[in-house]
Amino acid sequence: MKKSGHFETASLQIDVDGHHIVDDESFDQADFLRRVKASGECPKSSCPSPERYMEEYHCDAEHVYAVTLSAELSGSYNSAVLGKNLYEEEYGEKDIYVFNSRSASVGETLIGLKIAECEEKGMSFQKVESYIEAQHTYFVLETLDTLKKNGRLKGLKAVVATALNVKPVMGSTPEGSIQQLSQARGIKKGLAKMVDEVAANMKNTQEKILAISHCNCEERAKAVRDMLLERASFKDVIILDTAGISSMYAADGGVIVVV
C-alpha cells in the first residue's frame, strides 16, 4: 500500500525495559518477541503526538484521511483530531477527516483500502463510516496479560484460567472496546470457536475482504482462513504478520480476524 504513494504512517512507539522501538518499517518482530520474553516487565506503548499528525497533514494531497486505533483502546484518535485542529489554526482549513477505526491491526488496513476505493470512485467518505460500522474484529491469543496489564480490558470480568489452558475468543463491541464472545480449552479449539463466531455474523461475504493478521504463527492464520473459506466465499483474502503494536498486544501466537 505504501508503494502507491498514498499511504503514510504516524507511528506509535513501544518501550521494553527501557529499549525504545518505533512501530515503522524498522520494526523487527523476532527481536521484539525475544526482548518481551526476557523481560519481567510488561511492554508499554505511546501514541503519536498531535504535532506528529499535524506534520502528516501538511502534504500536497487535496483530501487527507487519518485512520487510528479504536478510541476506546488508544489516545491516537484524540491526538489525530488535535493535530487537525493545530493544522487548521496554523495553515487554515483543509479537507482532513479522522476515522476512529473502532478496531485495530488489520482492521485499520481494510479501512485504508476502503478509503482508497471510495476516492477512486468519487464516493463520499461517509461510505467509509458505514463500512466501519459493519466491520467486526475477532481474536484468540495465547495470553491476555499485556491487554490486562495495560488496562485494555476495562469492565471485562477476568474469566481466564491459564492453568486449565482456557483460550477466550474475544471480539470488538460496536463502540470499539473489547468483549469476550466465548472460550475453549486449547488454542486449536479456541480458533475453531472463533471461526464459529465469525461465521455467525457474516453477511454479503462475496463483497468483502477477509483479513487475518497473526503474530509469528502463519500456519494458524492459514488454518483459520481455510476453515472460513469452507463456510463462505470472499472478494479477497489478506494474511499479514503483525507489526509493532499488534505484536505487543497479540503476543507470540495470537491470531486476529476482521471481516
Side-chain angles (χ1 to χ4, degrees), residues 200-215:
N201 288 295
M202 290 191 302
K203 294 178 183 176
N204 304 319
T205 56
Q206 299 92 338
E207 301 169 12
K208 294 182 178 179
I209 298 172
L210 168 64
I212 304 170
S213 54
H214 65 91
C215 185

Side-chain angles (χ1 to χ4, degrees), residues 115-185:
I115 291 167
E117 178 189 329
C118 287
E119 275 288 301
E120 287 170 11
K121 294 181 177 178
M123 292 157 54
S124 165
F125 68 83
Q126 293 297 344
K127 288 277 187 184
V128 181
E129 287 289 11
S130 299
Y131 178 79
I132 291 171
E133 286 180 17
Q135 191 181 76
H136 297 280
T137 304
Y138 310 83
F139 59 94
V140 173
L141 312 182
E142 287 283 7
T143 174
L144 296 176
D145 283 353
T146 305
L147 282 168
K148 283 195 285 190
K149 289 176 181 177
N150 283 318
R152 299 313 192 261
L153 298 180
K154 291 175 183 174
L156 194 67
K157 292 180 181 177
V159 294
V160 186
T162 49
L164 299 175
N165 196 27
V166 172
K167 304 299 179 187
V169 177
M170 313 297 284
S172 59
T173 67
E175 298 77 29
S177 58
I178 296 170
Q179 62 182 330
Q180 182 174 350
L181 302 172
S182 60
Q183 63 185 43
R185 185 74 63 83

Side-chain angles (χ1 to χ4, degrees), residues 63-138:
H63 303 148
V64 178
Y65 304 97
V67 180
T68 75
L69 279 160
S70 170
E72 294 289 319
L73 305 177
S74 168
S76 300
Y77 176 76
N78 287 338
S79 192
V81 171
L82 283 171
K84 175 186 175 181
N85 296 339
L86 288 174
Y87 179 93
E88 292 184 339
E89 282 175 16
E90 185 157 341
Y91 300 107
E93 286 194 12
K94 185 171 185 175
D95 193 352
I96 300 169
Y97 191 85
V98 183
F99 290 100
N100 170 13
S101 73
R102 303 185 216 173
S103 181
S105 189
V106 75
E108 294 173 87
T109 306
L110 286 183
I111 294 165
L113 289 171
K114 191 66 178 179
I115 291 167
E117 178 189 329
C118 287
E119 275 288 301
E120 287 170 11
K121 294 181 177 178
M123 292 157 54
S124 165
F125 68 83
Q126 293 297 344
K127 288 277 187 184
V128 181
E129 287 289 11
S130 299
Y131 178 79
I132 291 171
E133 286 180 17
Q135 191 181 76
H136 297 280
T137 304
Y138 310 83

Side-chain angles (χ1 to χ4, degrees), residues 27-71:
F27 176 72
D28 183 335
Q29 187 193 70
D31 179 70
F32 171 74
L33 293 176
R34 278 194 299 270
R35 289 179 183 276
V36 171
K37 190 174 182 180
S39 172
E41 300 294 321
C42 185
K44 301 289 183 184
S45 63
S46 57
C47 65
S49 67
E51 291 78 13
R52 180 71 187 91
Y53 281 107
M54 180 182 169
E55 288 172 17
E56 290 297 337
Y57 300 152
H58 193 59
C59 60
D60 293 333
E62 185 177 342
H63 303 148
V64 178
Y65 304 97
V67 180
T68 75
L69 279 160
S70 170

